[in-house]
Amino acid sequence: MDQPTASTSASTSVYVRRVGIAVGIVLAVLFVLGLLGTAFSVFLRLLAALLIALPLRAGAAWVHRRTRLPEGLALLLVALLVVGALGGMGYLFSTRLSEQLSGLQQELPQAVRDVQARVGGTRWGQWLAGENLDYRRLMGGSSEWLGRATGVFSTTLSVLADGYVILFLAVFLAVQPKLYRSGLVLLVPQSHRARAHEVLDKISDTLVKWVVGRLVSMAVVGVLTVVGLGLLGMPMAAVLGLFAGLVTFIPNIGPVVSMVPALLLAFLNGGPHMALYVLLLYLGTQTLESAAVSPVVQQRLIALPPALVLVGQLVIGAFTGLLGLTLATPIIAMAVVLVKMLYVQDVLGDDAVQV
């Protein structure tokens, strides 16, 4: 009787040990994935800081070559010019923009009510009304809205904190780039440090060109939107055009977001026909930017396969959110540079491939 009991106890012990090992492996994998997620989140903020610091350094280098000013003074001059340009634009348009923003704030609620009234006059709108849908219940009660408001407030604080960190990182990187580059290159074997500097130079050049390309696309979209809305007689054309240009920096989502306030105002001021014209204007502007402006600019600056960019945006955006989606293209550009230089050229020995 003792032998079966001992055998059962041993089998149970082995089973428990195996379960413990399996649980330990799962926890270790989850821990590693969490570390990788945190590291990639930090990397995204570092990349955002680099996208600010590197163009400033490039501008300072250009001023240094042209004027022979010390690099530090040239950087200060470029930074002051950028801040001054932004401040000057804000001062010149502050009065008009504030008036238009005030009008936009007042007219948007009316536009929403007008859309609801027009929808209620249609057959499907009357059908929805006949269904006695409790919109308050669908949208959530007061506690639900309070939770959403709290979430928006915490998200805003998180964005402001990220912006603060990114801005200060950009300042440090712009002021002392050689310090951080030297520390990074020290991690590479001494025989490969010259190549490491070449790779870092190419990555820096690629990121600067990407920023320049995005600024050109944003400017084109903003100007075309302002001109088009002005020709259509739409109010607040400057605000809507500025908003359309700014959100163009965010791929895929930005153009859709920029349409919403313009369509509501068009519906309010001119009815469905005006809304249709505004929709066609936005679609035409974004199509022109996506099919003509952006490819030409990017081809002259950095050559990336469009399908690769789209897949990268979908994958990175799905795992990292809006910031990852916004920075997906420069991440892909960096990856392409690394693969071509470190694998194709150095490992495969194919020096004919251009980077």
Side-chain angles (χ1 to χ4, degrees), residues 85-103:
L86 295 176
M89 292 174 58
Y91 176 77
L92 290 175
F93 295 102
S94 60
T95 303
R96 181 171 179 79
L97 289 178
S98 62
E99 292 175 355
Q100 293 188 354
L101 284 173
S102 177

Side-chain angles (χ1 to χ4, degrees), residues 9 18 51 121 152 155 162 203 207 210 226 237-238 283 291 301 318 341 355:
S9 177
R18 290 178 177 176
L51 292 175
V152 170
T155 301
D162 284 344
I203 289 177
L207 293 179
W210 180 82
V226 171
L283 291 178
L301 298 177
M341 296 188 72
V355 183

Side-chain angles (χ1 to χ4, degrees), residues 206-220 248-249 289 293-302:
T206 301
L207 293 179
V208 170
K209 289 180 177 179
W210 180 82
V211 172
V212 172
R214 293 312 300 164
L215 291 177
V216 171
S217 297
M218 291 166 62
V220 169
T248 300
F249 191 83
E289 188 275 331
V293 177
S294 185
V296 171
V297 172
Q298 295 296 335
Q299 187 66 31
R300 287 180 175 272
L301 298 177
I302 54 173

Side-chain angles (χ1 to χ4, degrees), residues 310-320:
L310 181 58
V311 172
Q313 290 174 351
L314 292 175
V315 173
I316 297 175
F319 285 99
T320 59

Side-chain angles (χ1 to χ4, degrees), residues 57 68 81 130 136 141 158 192 194-195 203 221 265 320 338:
R57 291 297 309 184
R68 299 301 177 183
L81 287 175
R136 182 179 177 85
S158 177
H192 298 289
R195 183 59 170 171
I203 289 177
V221 170
L265 283 179
T320 59
L338 292 173

Side-chain angles (χ1 to χ4, degrees), residues 39-224:
F40 193 74
S41 178
V42 173
F43 167 73
L44 288 177
R45 285 150 181 82
L46 177 59
L47 178 58
L50 283 172
L51 292 175
I52 298 174
L54 291 176
L56 290 177
R57 291 297 309 184
W62 184 86
V63 172
H64 171 69
R65 290 194 302 268
R66 292 295 187 274
T67 64
R68 299 301 177 183
L69 288 175
E71 290 188 1
L73 185 59
L75 177 62
L76 178 61
L77 179 61
V78 170
L80 290 177
L81 287 175
V82 171
V83 174
L86 295 176
M89 292 174 58
Y91 176 77
L92 290 175
F93 295 102
S94 60
T95 303
R96 181 171 179 79
L97 289 178
S98 62
E99 292 175 355
Q100 293 188 354
L101 284 173
S102 177
L104 183 63
Q105 185 179 8
Q106 295 174 2
E107 292 190 23
L108 274 179
Q110 179 59 37
V112 174
R113 289 192 292 269
D114 190 64
V115 170
Q116 291 175 342
R118 290 177 183 269
V119 169
T122 62
R123 289 184 177 181
W124 60 273
Q126 293 173 358
W127 176 82
L128 288 175
E131 291 295 317
N132 295 320
L133 295 177
D134 187 356
Y135 294 102
R136 182 179 177 85
R137 178 177 58 82
L138 290 175
M139 299 301 293
S142 57
S143 60
E144 182 71 19
W145 278 105
L146 180 61
R148 293 180 182 178
T150 304
V152 170
F153 179 72
S154 64
T155 301
T156 302
L157 288 180
S158 177
V159 170
L160 291 176
D162 284 344
Y164 177 84
V165 171
I166 290 170
L167 182 60
F168 271 84
L169 271 177
V171 171
F172 294 142
L173 292 173
V175 172
Q176 291 183 309
K178 294 180 180 179
L179 174 65
Y180 303 103
R181 171 183 279 220
S182 300
L184 183 61
V185 172
L186 283 176
L187 301 176
V188 179
Q190 191 170 2
S191 58
H192 298 289
R193 288 178 185 174
R195 183 59 170 171
H197 279 292
E198 292 179 6
V199 173
L200 291 177
D201 286 338
K202 186 60 183 179
I203 289 177
S204 300
D205 183 62
T206 301
L207 293 179
V208 170
K209 289 180 177 179
W210 180 82
V211 172
V212 172
R214 293 312 300 164
L215 291 177
V216 171
S217 297
M218 291 166 62
V220 169
V221 170
V223 170
L224 291 179

Side-chain angles (χ1 to χ4, degrees), residues 215-234 237-238 240-246 248 258 277-278 280-294:
L215 291 177
V216 171
S217 297
M218 291 166 62
V220 169
V221 170
V223 170
L224 291 179
T225 303
V226 171
V227 173
L229 292 177
L231 293 176
L232 290 175
M234 278 283 294
L240 295 172
L242 178 63
F243 180 63
L246 290 175
T248 300
S258 67
Y277 296 148
V278 171
L280 293 176
L281 170 65
Y282 272 74
L283 291 178
T285 300
Q286 292 299 331
T287 301
L288 179 64
E289 188 275 331
S290 301
V293 177
S294 185

